[in-house]
């Protein structure tokens, strides 16, 4: 197995090679402190405000794809083989302002300017993808950016008007795309990367098989896919994470396979990667999916990481459990599969042996007669952690409930099915009396805790009302559908 001790990537228009890169070194610190690219700001240091937004381009099936990400929680080692683009790289024709920047000036989209570079980078990514977006697309693109003083109306107007000042065809990232893709391809040497000091070592396996061997040999290592959680361990809690195994670059964990019976995804598939599959095959979950974090975090965070983390308030497990998903775990060359709900054992504990990792998630397709929905209750509508999350699936046959799966997050130490409420529904006629009986049974399933996000009483009432909402929406159609 070839091995090197340095990471290599493109930063704007220059190739960078760095040895001795510590696992805990963030991309933001490197940009600001080492390269003095201070247009990228540090605001929250937890991927919440978007002031640190940069674009990261990576090769995907031979094509170059750029995504906005949070540099504050993106570790430097993870950009090996990528193209990092900061706000300093933007320019228009003849050295003028970039069209997005010019639109922000024309529409008075900036006051103090601290958040502006991050907003510009998010809108730049949107402009390249959708030059003339509608307001909903703009709001979705800005979910991960907080403005403290300007207000969003002029920023939205800037996004709507950017195409007046130029089109993506004239942008340097578009014009140079083939050349950049060739440079990135040349950086791919198939080697394992091991870099950084011994106590803070960063390891980038060559492929999934190499990852399986490295993790089995180093089971104490921290596995990092998107770093949307581990990043905060470092920036907020100053926790050591070395040795750390970075896996976000492994194409073998980013595959998506669609069959007539199910959809199988690698654990490294991001929320953004999976969004088109949601739209095509699980449209009933589309609104829920768009409320997971903000655009930058959806580009970084992975479904497998959300599962493996085991948080009781993770967004994906309730919906996936309701769909009947299963996970495949791997240790070296040995694999085993279990239902997703069985993976969660207790708070902070999963059914996973040392050196074993989540490799694949299998999600059954929605069957005829199956009604599915997912809901999220949080203090802030966008980019917030759930107080209560719920995933519901009911299979109807001749007006009766033949089967059901009711899964909740935020109600127990793990994401958990409501077995007593399910028993109250199964076999009953589909109607409000059955739903009321299931609602009455929920206190037998859960004894929620009170914390900063919600009281125990609020959580129980919300869980009950979400089940009633599920029934009312199904019975009365789209007119009833309001965002929680």
């Amino acid at each position: 197995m070839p091995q090197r001790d340095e990471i290599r990537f493109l930063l704007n228009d220059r190739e960078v090679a760095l040895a001795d890169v510590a696992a805990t070194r963030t991309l933001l610190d490197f940009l600001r402190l080492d390269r003095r690219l201070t247009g990228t700001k540090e605001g929250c240091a937890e991927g919440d405000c978007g002031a640190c937004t940069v674009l990261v381009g990576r090769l995907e099936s031979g094509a170059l794809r750029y995504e906005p990400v949070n540099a504050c929680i993106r570790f430097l080692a993870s950009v090996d083989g990528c193209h990092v683009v900061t706000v300093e790289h933007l320019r228009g024709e003849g050295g003028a302002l970039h069209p997005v920047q010019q639109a922000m000036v024309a529409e008075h989209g900036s006051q103090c300017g601290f958040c502006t570079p991050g907003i510009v980078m998010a809108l730049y990514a949107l402009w390249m993808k959708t030059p003339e977006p509608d307001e909903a697309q703009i709001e979705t693109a800005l979910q991960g950016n907080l403005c403290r003083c300007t207000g969003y109306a002029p920023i939205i107007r800037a996004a709507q008007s950017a195409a007046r000042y130029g089109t993506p065809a004239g942008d340097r990232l578009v014009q140079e795309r083939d050349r950049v893709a060739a440079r990135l391809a040349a950086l791919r040497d198939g080697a394992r990367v091991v870099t950084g000091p011994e106590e803070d070592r960063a390891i980038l396996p060559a492929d999934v098989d190499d990852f399986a061997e490295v993790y089995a040999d180093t089971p104490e290592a921290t596995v990092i896919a998107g770093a949307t959680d581990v990043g905060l361990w470092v920036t907020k809690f100053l926790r050591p994470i070395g040795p750390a195994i970075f896996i976000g670059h492994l194409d073998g964990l980013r595959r998506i396979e669609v069959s007539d019976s199910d959809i199988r995804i690698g654990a490294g598939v991001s929320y953004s990667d999976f969004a088109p599959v949601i739209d095509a095959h699980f449209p009933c979950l589309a609104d829920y999916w768009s409320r997971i974090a903000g655009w930058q975090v959806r580009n970084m965070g992975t479904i497998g990481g959300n599962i493996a983390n085991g948080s009781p308030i993770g967004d994906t497990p309730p919906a996936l459990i309701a769909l009947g998903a299963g996970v495949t775990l791997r240790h070296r060359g040995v694999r085993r599969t279990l239902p997703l709900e069985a993976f969660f054992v207790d708070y902070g504990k999963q059914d996973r042996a040392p050196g074993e990792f989540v490799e694949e998630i299998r999600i059954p397709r929605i069957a005829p007669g199956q009604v599915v929905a997912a809901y999220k209750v949080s203090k802030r509508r966008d980019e917030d952690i759930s107080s209560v999350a719920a995933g519901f699936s009911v299979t109807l046959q001749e007006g009766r409930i033949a089967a059901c799966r009711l899964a909740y997050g935020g109600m127990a130490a793990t994401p958990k099915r409501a077995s007593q409420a399910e028993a109250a529904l199964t076999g009953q006629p589909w109607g409000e009396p059955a739903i009321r009986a299931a609602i009455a049974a929920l206190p037998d399933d859960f004894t929620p805790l009170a914390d900063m996000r919600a009281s125990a009483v609020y959580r129980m009432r919300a869980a009950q009302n979400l089940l009633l909402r599920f029934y009312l929406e199904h019975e009365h159609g789209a007119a009833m559908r309001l965002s929680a």
Side-chain angles (χ1 to χ4, degrees), residues 16 60 385 445:
V16 177
E60 188 175 274
I385 294 172
D445 284 306

Side-chain angles (χ1 to χ4, degrees), residues 120-193:
V120 165
M121 294 305 287
L123 294 183
Y124 177 36
L126 175 66
W127 174 81
M128 285 201 298
K129 181 180 178 182
T130 310
E132 298 186 33
D134 60 32
E135 189 164 329
Q137 291 170 317
I138 296 167
E139 290 178 350
T140 299
L142 291 174
Q143 282 175 317
N145 293 85
L146 301 180
C147 178
R148 295 164 175 80
C149 54
T150 304
Y152 296 95
I155 297 171
I156 290 172
R157 289 196 298 269
Q160 292 171 326
S161 65
R164 300 177 196 166
Y165 303 100
T167 64
D171 186 75
R172 64 192 303 185
L173 286 191
V174 174
Q175 294 177 340
E176 300 172 358
R177 184 156 299 207
D178 290 343
R179 184 175 65 85
V180 171
R183 294 176 71 183
L184 293 183
L187 294 179
R188 289 191 167 191
D189 57 3
R192 177 194 296 174
V193 179

Side-chain angles (χ1 to χ4, degrees), residues 79-108:
V79 302
D80 182 68
C82 295
H83 184 201
V84 178
V85 180
T86 71
V87 70
E88 289 86 355
H89 196 58
L90 272 64
R91 70 182 182 205
E93 295 183 9
L97 289 176
H98 187 274
V100 173
Q101 295 171 316
Q102 184 59 55
M104 287 284 284
V105 171
E107 297 297 338
H108 306 285

Side-chain angles (χ1 to χ4, degrees), residues 409-426:
M411 296 291 290
T414 65
K416 182 184 173 186
R417 289 176 65 178
S419 58
Q420 296 299 315
E422 290 177 359
L425 286 176
T426 304

Side-chain angles (χ1 to χ4, degrees), residues 307 320 323-328 337-341 360-364:
I307 290 170
L320 295 178
L323 289 168
V327 292
T328 297
T337 299
L338 67 160
L340 178 55
E341 61 263 35
E360 180 184 81
I361 302 102
R362 172 190 169 274
I363 309 168

